[in-house]
Amino acid sequence: MPALTRSKERLHEGEDSSTRRCVRRVTVSHMKAVVLTGTGGSEMLEYRDVPTPAPGPGEVLVRLHASAVNNTDIAFRQNWYAKDVRVPWPRIQGAGGVGTIDGVGDGVNSRRSGERVIVDPFLRRPAATVEKSLVTLMGSTDVDGCFAEFVVVSGENAVAVSPDVPVAEAACLPTAYQTAEEMQLRAGVTAGQTVLVTGASGGVGRANVELAAMRGARVFAVAGRDKHDLVRAAGAAVVIQRDGSGSPEDFPAFDAVLDVTGGPMMQTWLESIVLGGVYVTAGAIAGWETKIDLRTVIYNDLRIIGQQVARPSALVNLASYAGAGLLHPHVAAIFPLASMKEAQARFVEKDFVGKIVIDIDGSAAAR
């Protein structure tokens, strides 16, 4: 950790202790971070010293304990999203993490100092509906993320979480579990429903299995054969081979399909949804382009929902579930921050179930 130099805490004349302008005046010259120097392969990732950010009005400085690798980190590095995105390089990736508030800016309650928090990576327009709220995702475009020792976020993006939740598990909740929780909310998953989850061995997919089972739904999950046991352990009643072999008649009628794979199986899954059911997509790792028969959608009164952003309450929900012991994200592997290249290489191999966690200060490995 870098050396910290803090001035003594001082109350400004006429101010209450709960509204002091800054709990800690933090002076940290540099911190360790993994920076992305441009789009391309893992050679574009560098572990080095960078200036430490300072909190402004309404912001908090979070000393990070751990983060996790997500599909968005790989996609952004490889420039999957757009060919003409202009990004000021270098950029610190890492869509969310867990840490402790180390300092606050003007307007933030001083009592938040020392609070264990999960960093919500979705930056939103406060007055917009959830579907129109996204400004950007931390670690993508022009906002630094959590592959570093410190990060600055707005107070609203620092969500309190119980210190009883293991660091490695808490690090899994931003992005992947947020996306899954939002998928559940948009689909209206409830007890007694039958739900199909694709990509069930990955971060979002396994989270969907856990969350749907927690809600009392009967979960059918799609995963590779070597991962079936771990997916069942997450709460799946039935696991379907990843190639989806079989016709729609071989599957039950699903109230909802929660899909992160896309590709050629989309029409098969649509044909397996009940009248008035819902298909929610938040990814397309099996292919962006697909062919569907619109008669399936029209004459079965189906809803197709695309999802990019999660509402603020999704992460609050997850922190509550984890704090109550209802949710235990599966940690497949833990890598130190300095081994980011190896961590992302392991992520790309897709030979694991759950999440790959980045241990920033050594606390995740102590799980």
Side-chain angles (χ1 to χ4, degrees):
M1 293 291 294
L4 302 185
T5 304
R6 297 187 179 92
S7 63
K8 294 182 179 179
E9 295 183 11
R10 295 177 296 178
L11 286 178
H12 292 264
E13 185 176 355
E15 290 185 338
D16 180 79
S17 62
S18 65
T19 58
R20 67 184 69 176
R21 295 190 64 190
C22 190
V23 173
R24 296 174 179 176
R25 298 199 178 279
V26 184
T27 304
V28 185
S29 58
H30 288 86
M31 64 177 181
K32 292 292 185 182
V34 173
V35 300
L36 182 64
T37 59
T39 58
S42 62
E43 74 279 359
M44 308 306 290
L45 297 168
E46 294 184 9
Y47 177 68
R48 68 191 195 199
D49 287 338
V50 298
T52 304
E59 295 179 333
V60 297
L61 177 70
V62 179
R63 176 168 50 88
L64 289 160
H65 306 315
S67 185
V69 182
N70 288 283
N71 276 314
T72 187
D73 299 311
I74 311 303
F76 181 61
R77 173 165 60 79
Q78 296 181 348
N79 202 23
W80 288 359
Y81 295 126
K83 298 299 182 183
D84 59 351
V85 174
R86 296 183 179 180
V87 178
W89 305 109
R91 183 91 282 130
I92 299 173
Q93 292 188 282
V98 60
T100 300
I101 293 180
D102 203 66
V104 303
D106 292 359
V108 179
N109 194 317
S110 67
R111 294 187 179 91
R112 298 204 67 185
S113 179
E115 182 177 276
R116 174 70 63 84
V117 295
I118 303 171
V119 174
D120 182 348
F122 290 100
L123 306 185
R124 309 173 184 86
R125 298 177 183 87
T129 62
V130 61
E131 295 86 356
K132 297 180 180 180
S133 66
L134 184 66
V135 175
T136 192
L137 185 73
M138 292 178 64
S140 299
T141 62
D142 60 348
V143 179
D144 280 334
C146 294
F147 291 160
E149 291 179 314
F150 291 90
V151 71
V152 164
V153 295
S154 72
E156 290 79 10
N157 281 68
V159 177
V161 64
S162 169
D164 294 333
V165 178
V167 167
E169 293 185 14
C172 299
L173 299 180
T175 304
Y177 275 75
Q178 269 181 289
T179 298
E181 175 68 2
E182 182 66 28
M183 293 177 81
Q184 309 268 323
L185 295 172
R186 294 199 193 188
V189 176
T190 59
Q193 290 186 333
T194 301
V195 175
L196 176 73
V197 173
T198 70
S201 62
V204 178
R206 192 181 191 279
N208 266 320
V209 172
E210 290 179 85
L211 292 166
M214 185 190 75
R215 284 174 159 87
R218 186 166 188 251
V219 180
F220 284 66
V222 182
R225 194 171 302 282
D226 59 332
K227 301 170 183 175
H228 283 199
D229 288 345
L230 286 171
V231 172
R232 286 192 188 93
V238 178
V239 184
I240 300 168
Q241 181 58 19
R242 186 168 56 197
D243 63 7
S245 52
S247 66
E249 290 76 19
D250 296 325
F251 305 116
F254 300 117
D255 296 287
V257 171
L258 308 177
D259 186 20
V260 295
T261 59
M265 287 301 296
M266 181 177 176
Q267 176 64 27
T268 298
W269 303 138
L270 288 174
E271 292 176 14
S272 299
I273 301 175
V274 301
L275 290 171
V278 60
Y279 168 96
V280 182
T281 175
I285 58 176
W288 297 108
E289 295 183 356
T290 188
K291 183 180 291 185
I292 66 171
D293 187 335
L294 285 175
R295 290 172 297 183
T296 306
V297 179
I298 295 167
Y299 299 119
N300 289 296
D301 280 304
L302 302 184
R303 288 179 294 140
I304 297 179
I305 299 174
Q307 179 195 320
Q308 178 181 212
V309 62
R311 68 197 72 188
S313 60
L315 190 56
V316 175
N317 291 351
L318 293 168
S320 176
Y321 304 152
L326 300 175
L327 187 66
H328 295 282
H330 181 72
V331 178
I334 298 176
F335 290 82
L337 182 63
S339 298
M340 181 63 69
K341 291 181 181 180
E342 292 82 357
Q344 290 199 12
R346 175 71 187 281
F347 184 90
V348 171
E349 290 173 0
K350 300 295 183 184
D351 62 348
F352 60 92
V353 174
K355 295 292 295 176
I356 290 179
V357 168
I358 303 301
D359 192 350
I360 296 172
D361 68 355
S363 58
R367 64 186 175 126

